[in-house]
Amino acid sequence: MVSSTNPNFKQLRVAVIGGGLGGLSAAVALRRAGHLVEIYERRDFNVEVGASISCAANGTQWLREWEVDIPDMKPVILMKLVMRDWETGRILNQYNLDKYEEEWGNVYNMLHRQDMHATLLKTATSPEGKGTPCIVKIDHICETVDSEAGTVTFKNGVTVKADIIIGADGIRSVVRGQIGVVPDMKSAPQTCYRLNVKKSVVDELGLVKYSYEPAIQFWGGLQGKNGRSKYYKIVMSPCSDGEIVSFYCKYHSHLGNFYSFMPTELTKHHEEGFTFAEVPVSDVIAGRYDELDPDCVNLLKNSVDRMPWRLYVHQPYDRWFAGNTCILGDAAHPMMPHQSQGACQAIEDAAALGIIFSDKYNFTTDVTAGLAMYQTVRKPRATRVQSASARATENLNERIGFTSLTPHDASLAAAEGKLTINEMNSYKMHNHVATEVDKLGGGMGPTIAVM
C-alpha cells in the first residue's frame, strides 16, 4: 500500500486500454500518483512505427515532473520554425526559439515516436522510480466496457475489473463508443504521408544539410501560383539524435522526418488514421509536387517508411467520461496535426488524471467525481487546440509560432482568438485543478494539509 498523509487516499486499480504515447503517459502519471496500473495493448510493441513527435514546453514539463529520462528519448532540441517557398525553397519567414527555454523553463523537444514510446514504456514498467511498476498485457483487443460495473471484456475472452478504466485506444477508439460517444466527423480536405530520411543518406548523397538542422521547416500551406491548392504542404523536422529527418509528406534527424500533405482527392487511402503499409514514392509526390523545390524532392525520393495517414475532422465530443471510464488523447480529441500539439495534449490529459487522483485530493473515494473534474479541466483547453489545429489547416499563419513572431504579434493574435505560445506554455495545471476543486467545496480537497 502506498504511503500517504491524506487519510482518505485510496490506492486504485487502473486499466489503461491502449499502449500508445497517451496510454503510457497516463500509466506513468497514475503510477507516480500511487496507483496499480495495467496496460492492455492490442498488438506487440515491436510494430511501433512513426515519424517525429513535437513535445513543446507544455508537454516536456510533465515528462520532467514524472522523472522520465528524456535524454534516453534521443531528443533534438528545436531552435526555429522556418517557412519556405514551395517552388524554390527560399526562406519566407522564420521564428527563432533561441530563448525558448529561458522564457518557458523547458526546451522544445523533437522526438522520434519509437524512441519516445520505448522510454515511456521503460518508465512505466521499470522497478526503479516512484510507484509500483505497471503491468503490460499484449494481444488484448477491447470488445466491451461496462462503465458502471467497472469491467472490460476483450476479444480473447478475458474480463478484468478496475476502479478506473482509461480509453487510450486512439482515433478508432472502442472505449469511446462504449461510453456512448458517437463521432461527428468528415473527411478532411487534406491527407498526409509520413516518411523518414536517414542523415547518413543525406550525407552520402550530398543532399541539403539544412534538412537535419534543429528546426521544423515548412513548404506550402498557402495558396500557390497557378491555382495550386493551399493543402499542398511539407513539414520536415529532425529527431532521434539528429539521425533521422522526418516528413509529413514527413522527415527525421537520425532520420529526417517528413509529413507530406496534399488535397484528399489525390490519395488512394481511405481509412482514418495511420496505415501500416509502405507506399511507393510516386504516391507521395503526386499532383503539384512536380513544382516542389528540387532539393526537397530529392529528399523525398530517398526516403523510407513511407506510410499513408488519412485525416478526418472531428467535432468536439459532448463528453469524455461515463461512470468510472474516461477517454484521452486521440480517443477524446482527435485533431489535425497543424499545431504540432497532439502528443502534448495527450500528455496533459495524463497529467490531469495524475493530479486529480493524487493524495492531494479526495477523488480516489469518488472516481466518477474525479473524472468529471478531469473533463472540466481538460476539455475546454484541448477543444481550443483542436479547433485551432483545424484553422491552421486552412492558413499556415494560424500556427503557434507564426502567430507570435513578436510580442506585439502575439498580443494581436490573442485578441483575435488565435492560439499563441504564451497561452500554451504559461498554463499552470496544478493551479487550475486547485481552483476548480475549490469551487466544488464539499470535501474533495484534503482534510489535512498535504505536503
Side-chain angles (χ1 to χ4, degrees), residues 74-336:
K74 303 177 186 176
V76 171
I77 297 174
L78 189 69
M79 298 306 294
K80 56 187 174 182
L81 305 178
V82 179
M83 188 187 296
R84 292 183 177 273
D85 179 74
W86 178 265
E87 296 179 349
T88 67
R90 179 174 60 88
I91 294 176
L92 303 176
N93 210 342
Q94 183 167 303
Y95 179 66
N96 292 318
L97 301 170
D98 49 312
K99 295 184 178 179
Y100 187 91
E101 183 179 14
E102 176 184 336
E103 188 166 4
W104 304 116
N106 289 285
V107 299
Y108 192 133
N109 288 299
M110 295 303 302
L111 308 166
H112 190 282
R113 177 183 170 83
Q114 289 170 309
D115 297 332
M116 187 178 189
H117 188 273
T119 300
L120 284 172
L121 180 61
K122 187 188 307 181
T123 307
T125 59
S126 172
E128 299 178 358
K130 180 183 176 183
T132 302
C134 304
I135 296 172
V136 176
K137 297 185 178 181
I138 60 172
D139 298 324
H140 280 64
I141 300 174
C142 179
E143 187 168 45
T144 62
V145 175
D146 186 330
S147 60
E148 298 304 319
T151 59
V152 184
T153 299
F154 299 92
K155 288 188 176 181
N156 59 10
V158 173
T159 296
V160 299
K161 187 173 179 62
D163 299 308
I164 304 178
I165 299 167
I166 299 172
D169 49 342
I171 195 77
R172 305 178 192 129
S173 173
V174 171
V175 178
R176 180 174 62 210
Q178 291 293 298
I179 64 170
V181 176
V182 179
D184 175 5
M185 66 184 197
K186 63 180 180 180
S187 177
Q190 183 183 58
T191 194
C192 178
Y193 292 89
R194 61 203 168 95
L195 47 124
N196 299 314
V197 178
K198 296 180 180 179
K199 178 178 179 291
S200 58
V201 171
V202 173
D203 290 339
E204 179 183 340
L205 298 180
L207 305 178
V208 287
K209 296 186 185 303
Y210 67 69
S211 60
Y212 51 81
E213 289 180 355
I216 298 179
Q217 307 203 43
F218 304 84
W219 286 257
L222 302 169
Q223 198 70 34
K225 298 177 181 177
N226 303 317
R228 187 184 70 247
S229 172
K230 60 189 172 186
Y231 299 129
Y232 282 100
K233 179 182 174 185
I234 295 282
V235 183
M236 179 182 77
S237 57
C239 56
S240 199
D241 279 341
E243 294 303 314
I244 296 175
V245 180
S246 182
F247 282 83
Y248 288 86
C249 174
K250 277 185 178 175
Y251 280 114
H252 290 166
S253 204
H254 195 112
L255 294 182
N257 197 340
F258 277 97
Y259 289 82
S260 172
F261 298 90
M262 62 180 62
T264 292
E265 61 267 20
L266 294 177
T267 186
K268 303 174 183 177
H269 308 279
H270 304 289
E271 187 174 16
E272 184 177 20
F274 289 119
T275 301
F276 296 93
E278 189 160 7
V279 300
V281 171
S282 57
D283 279 17
V284 176
I285 56 176
R288 304 290 287 270
Y289 274 76
D290 60 357
E291 301 169 357
L292 180 62
D293 171 17
D295 287 335
C296 189
V297 171
N298 285 334
L299 289 165
L300 298 178
K301 287 181 176 179
N302 289 282
S303 61
V304 295
D305 304 329
R306 295 179 297 272
M307 306 286 182
W309 182 15
R310 183 63 191 271
L311 302 171
Y312 281 72
V313 177
H314 288 240
Q315 296 303 310
Y317 306 146
D318 61 348
R319 65 184 181 278
W320 287 11
F321 80 100
N324 81 331
T325 302
C326 71
I327 50 178
L328 63 67
D330 283 346
H333 45 75
M335 59 185 66
M336 295 292 282

Side-chain angles (χ1 to χ4, degrees), residues 327-392:
I327 50 178
L328 63 67
D330 283 346
H333 45 75
M335 59 185 66
M336 295 292 282
H338 301 298
Q339 296 290 359
S340 300
Q341 273 286 318
C344 285
Q345 291 307 297
I347 290 170
E348 286 193 6
D349 294 344
L353 290 170
I355 293 169
I356 290 165
F357 290 105
S358 71
D359 66 357
K360 187 173 182 181
Y361 303 106
N362 292 331
F363 289 109
T364 58
T365 64
D366 189 341
V367 167
T368 300
L371 295 181
M373 176 58 63
Y374 162 68
Q375 178 172 288
T376 295
V377 169
R378 285 295 304 138
K379 191 172 182 291
R381 179 169 160 91
T383 298
R384 178 156 163 72
V385 177
Q386 186 182 29
S387 299
S389 299
R391 291 198 305 273

